[in-house]
Each structure stands twice: as structure tokens, then as C-alpha cells.
Amino acid sequence: MPDSLTRSLLEPLLGWQAEAIPGAAEAARRLLLDHIGVAAWGSRSAVATAFRAHAAADLARATGPELPVFGTGGRCSAVEAAMANAVAAACFEFDDTHTPASAHPGAVIFPAALAAAAVARSEGAPGGERFLDAVCVGYEVMCRVARAVNPHAHRARHFHPTSTAGHFGAAAAAAVGLGLGLDEAVAAVSLAGTVAGGSMQFLVEGAVTKQLHPAYAAQRGVQAALLARRGFPGLADPIGGARGFLAAQSEDPRPERLLSGLGTSPAEITCCGIKPYPSCRNTQSPADALFLLLAEHSIPADQVEHLTFGLIGSGLATVWDPPERRRRPRTLADAQFSMPFVAAVALLDGRLEADQFQAARYTDPAVVALMDRVDCVADPSLDARYPASWPAWAELTTASGERFRAETEHPRGDPDNPLSPAELAAKFDSLTRHCYDADRRAGLRAAVAKLPDEAALETIGSLA
């Protein structure tokens, strides 16, 4: 094992060029467009609105460059805009996912990389040329750190990998975006990682504190890189040290995962999925199975006597336990993490989209009646296939006693079952139609497609 796992991870990554890595640049462009759309839609939420006011009025505003707050027509200084966009991107559980890392990288890495690029460009450096490189390195570091801490053991201590590992990824992305050398990059990752945290208590209370996690990870990552650039020293091995991140936040870390396959395995950014539904990823394979079943057997909602889902163990803990709570969501977070609610509105409406997650639906008698007919069970055979796949099954019994079953292996939107370009474009348009007209939507799609062209990054900043 190297003397410093952190240094051994960062040293080759600082030489990465996104365009030279198979699939990486295209994945970054695809995920960026999705991030803009998700953040633009999320900006409508009460949580994003409150944070935006906080960013504009309460946070110490820098005198440097500004960035757009997607979907609002407003702008803030770069770090505050990064935080506001991160919160908005996390508001509707529509952000991208990395299954082995059990994390949502895009809500952290894109805001951090955009902020670093804005600072670099304000100083005359080529922010656009380095932007895609920064994004790919940020994804790589965040996802490798999350895998190395062992997400299952990490979550057993009630930590949220998007937040904890996100601090490291955001710092790495900002370090590349600012053109830092190896010593400075290690220091940046140290300074961000030493304050990395993120509690899972939001699941217990149905709270929206989860939405703050990517914002503070992005903020601390960029600020850590700026501080390291001024010569503030860091640690030799903040990730793998004897009292470093892996040792402190996991009872069963897997440090070998940090470097395994680095430079030979597919880039982590190419292993991310884009969600088709605005709910916890643990609800999406089951929802796919339900839609598959309904496509084969047209069953009206009022004819459903009982519906059972088979889930992986961690999914059961996230979207079913305790069932009495999941069957009576009280908040948006409750609904997004409720398999009964997701199933009920899918049965009633024949779709799963952001506009269905409204407070009035939580107490709708038709929804409540269906939630009471939903059960979830753990299936060890599914766990044996996870995380190589994310399987689930649905079994439906009708009022007349007929029984139907369907199973899915990979949720829609995952790399092994990707959304088509037309589906991605439709998702972007549906999420941004309220704030961007057709010309702006087309302009944003075209600009993202032209990255890493410097003018393209400027166009994104002006149109979004």
C-alpha cells in the first residue's frame, strides 16, 4: 500500500484529459445538461427559494465572478451560486446516481467545477478548456472515495456518502479547474475532507436537510482549493491515514478500492445513471417492474387488491421501514422515500413525474387506500446481484384473485439500461419549460454539446 493513498490517487488524475478518456467527455456533457434541468426545476421549491435568499442576502458575498442560479434569472457570486444550484439539484430526488458509490455526484461536482471555472476565467485562465477535465476528476475522486469507505458500512454509521465523499470530489474538481499542482491539490482535498460530514437523520424525520449536503460539499471543496492555492498546508493522507476518512467513518473500509483499476477501468463518470423518476433510486427498479407489469396486463387501480415489491436490503431500510411511516408521508422527503406513495401515484396516474409529488396527494383518499395495499419484502437473491445490478420485482394481486409478477435487473437510466437521447431531451425540456423558452433550451443544449469550447461555457453562463 502506498505511503499516501490520497497522493497516489491524485497524481495520475491531475494529468487527465476528458476528451482522451473513452466515453468520459460525452458522459460529462450528458450529465451536465441533466444537472441544469434538474436544478432549474428544483429552483421552484420552497427549500431552494429559502436557500437562494440566504445566498443572496446572508452569506458574505465575494467580489469575484458571478454565475447564474439555474431557472431563476438571477445571479450570485460563484460559490454562492454553486451552493444554490446544488440545493436546487437535490430538491426533487432527480439528480444522477452512482450505484457502487451510493451517491449523487452531479449535484456536488458540477456546481464546484463551474465555480472554479468562473474564478479561473476571471483571472484570464482557460476555464472552459479545463472544465470537463475538472468534472471527470471530481467524479472519479468522489466515487472512488465513496466506494473505498464502503457505502454499506458508512451508512451503518448514518453518514451520507453524497456529502462526505462529495467534499473530496468537489475539492479535486476545483483543484483541477484552478490549475493547482499536486501538493496544492493534496492540500485542497485535505482541507475539505477534514470537515466532511452529513447525517442521515433526515430519513427518520422526513426532513429536507439532505438538500444542504451537496451545497456545503461544493462550497467547502472550492474554498479549500482557493485556500490551498494561497499556501495553506494540508495533510499527507487525509483519505487513507491511520485516523483519516476511511478509518474514522467506516467500520469496514475497503482502501484497496481507492486505486484499483485507476486508469484502466472505465471512468467513474461513465458509470452514472440519470433518473427517469423524481424519487429515491431505491424506488425506481420496483417502479420499473410495476410499469412493466402494467404494460403487459392492463389493470385499473381500483382493481388492485394487493401489491408486493421485492427489494434489496438497503432499499427496504430506505423506502419501506417503518411501514406505518412510509404509508403516511407528511413531507416531500417522506413521499420521495416512500415505496407505497410512489406505487400508489404510479398506479393512479400511469406515470411518475415531478408534478405528482404535491402535498395534496399525501392525504388523497385514493392514494391512501392504495398505500395500505402495498407491502415490501427483502429478497436475499436480489442482494446477491447488487451492486453489479439493482434488481427488484413487483407482484400484483387483483380483486378477482389473479396474480401477476414482473422483475427488472437494471433501473431505467442506469448505464446498462440508459435513457435514449430523445428521452434525455424530453426530460430536460419538461423540467425547464417553465423558465426557458424554446430558443434558450435549444441554445443550452447546443452549448453543452460544444464543450470544452471556451465560448460554450460562456454561453451556458449567459443563457442559464
Side-chain angles (χ1 to χ4, degrees):
M1 197 72 72
D3 290 340
S4 171
L5 283 174
T6 307
R7 195 175 188 89
S8 297
L9 174 64
L10 291 175
E11 188 168 13
L13 292 179
L14 293 185
W16 268 25
Q17 293 181 319
E19 296 281 15
I21 301 167
E26 180 54 36
R29 288 187 280 264
R30 186 169 61 249
L31 291 163
L32 172 60
L33 189 68
D34 189 66
H35 169 71
I36 294 171
V38 168
W41 178 266
S43 70
R44 306 172 72 180
S45 71
V47 173
T49 300
F51 192 90
R52 190 160 61 248
H54 170 61
D58 302 334
L59 296 178
R61 289 178 59 84
T63 57
E66 292 187 338
L67 284 173
V69 179
F70 298 138
T72 70
R75 302 177 72 84
C76 286
S77 54
V79 175
E80 283 80 15
M83 296 179 75
N85 286 327
V87 168
C91 274
F92 282 97
E93 286 297 319
F94 233 171
D95 43 344
D96 66 6
T97 56
H98 188 287
T99 299
S102 191
H104 304 277
V108 177
I109 302 304
F110 283 115
L114 286 166
V119 172
R121 292 175 69 240
S122 72
E123 297 170 348
E129 290 182 14
R130 288 200 294 244
F131 174 69
L132 290 186
D133 302 340
V135 167
C136 291
V137 169
Y139 268 76
E140 196 73 17
V141 169
M142 179 175 174
C143 295
R144 284 180 170 274
V145 168
R147 289 196 292 113
V149 79
N150 187 354
H152 296 295
H154 192 48
R155 283 177 175 266
R157 286 189 170 180
H158 312 301
F159 284 111
H160 186 206
T162 298
S163 179
T164 55
H167 281 69
F168 295 96
V176 172
L178 294 171
L180 303 190
L182 179 59
D183 290 341
E184 293 173 319
V186 172
V189 167
S190 299
L191 301 177
T194 196
V195 295
S199 164
M200 295 288 286
Q201 179 67 12
F202 69 87
L203 272 180
V204 178
E205 300 187 20
V208 294
T209 51
K210 174 181 182 281
Q211 281 80 334
L212 291 176
H213 291 175
Y216 285 113
Q219 176 200 42
R220 289 166 176 166
V222 175
Q223 290 177 338
L226 291 169
L227 186 56
R229 189 172 67 163
R230 292 189 179 274
F232 200 98
L235 302 164
D237 194 6
I239 299 172
R243 299 189 183 186
F245 176 70
L246 301 184
Q249 296 198 8
S250 177
E251 292 183 1
D252 185 25
R254 308 294 173 86
E256 69 279 2
R257 293 178 179 172
L258 197 68
L259 303 179
S260 178
L262 181 59
T264 57
S265 298
E268 300 291 348
I269 195 169
T270 67
C271 302
C272 287
I274 293 177
K275 288 181 177 180
Y277 315 127
S279 56
C280 174
R281 197 54 158 159
N282 282 292
T283 68
Q284 304 212 359
S285 284
D288 284 339
L290 175 60
F291 282 130
L292 179 61
L293 187 156
L294 294 174
E296 295 176 352
H297 311 281
S298 181
I299 304 166
D302 62 4
Q303 293 301 304
V304 175
E305 181 68 24
H306 198 78
L307 178 60
T308 302
F309 292 101
L311 309 178
I312 61 173
S314 60
L316 197 78
T318 304
V319 301
W320 174 245
D321 291 331
E324 60 273 12
R325 176 67 179 271
R326 300 304 174 201
R327 285 182 173 142
R328 294 296 183 270
R330 295 173 300 197
T331 67
L332 174 61
D334 278 343
Q336 291 166 330
F337 285 82
S338 166
M339 194 65 242
F341 179 81
V342 168
V345 294
L347 281 166
L348 286 166
D349 303 344
R351 61 187 180 90
L352 272 178
E353 297 174 13
D355 63 354
Q356 295 167 271
F357 288 74
Q358 303 293 330
R361 301 301 299 274
Y362 310 157
T363 54
D364 180 336
V367 174
V368 172
L370 279 170
M371 287 194 290
D372 285 340
R373 298 174 196 162
V374 173
D375 278 302
C376 297
V377 297
D379 184 341
S381 71
L382 303 179
D383 281 296
R385 286 135 63 187
Y386 176 84
S389 65
W390 201 329
W393 51 260
E395 186 172 277
L396 188 151
T397 303
T398 68
S400 62
E402 292 182 289
R403 183 174 294 178
F404 303 102
R405 181 184 170 106
E407 184 167 333
T408 54
E409 192 69 23
H410 300 280
R412 288 181 61 234
D414 260 18
D416 290 305
N417 187 15
L419 300 180
S420 68
E423 288 174 315
L424 292 172
K427 178 183 176 182
F428 177 77
D429 285 347
S430 71
L431 294 178
T432 56
R433 193 171 284 115
H434 72 281
C435 57
Y436 304 139
D437 61 24
D439 288 341
R440 291 182 78 178
R441 295 197 303 272
L444 281 166
R445 285 195 297 268
V448 169
K450 290 178 182 177
L451 286 170
D453 182 79
E454 188 76 26
L457 196 62
E458 186 175 347
T459 299
I460 293 169
S462 64
L463 288 179

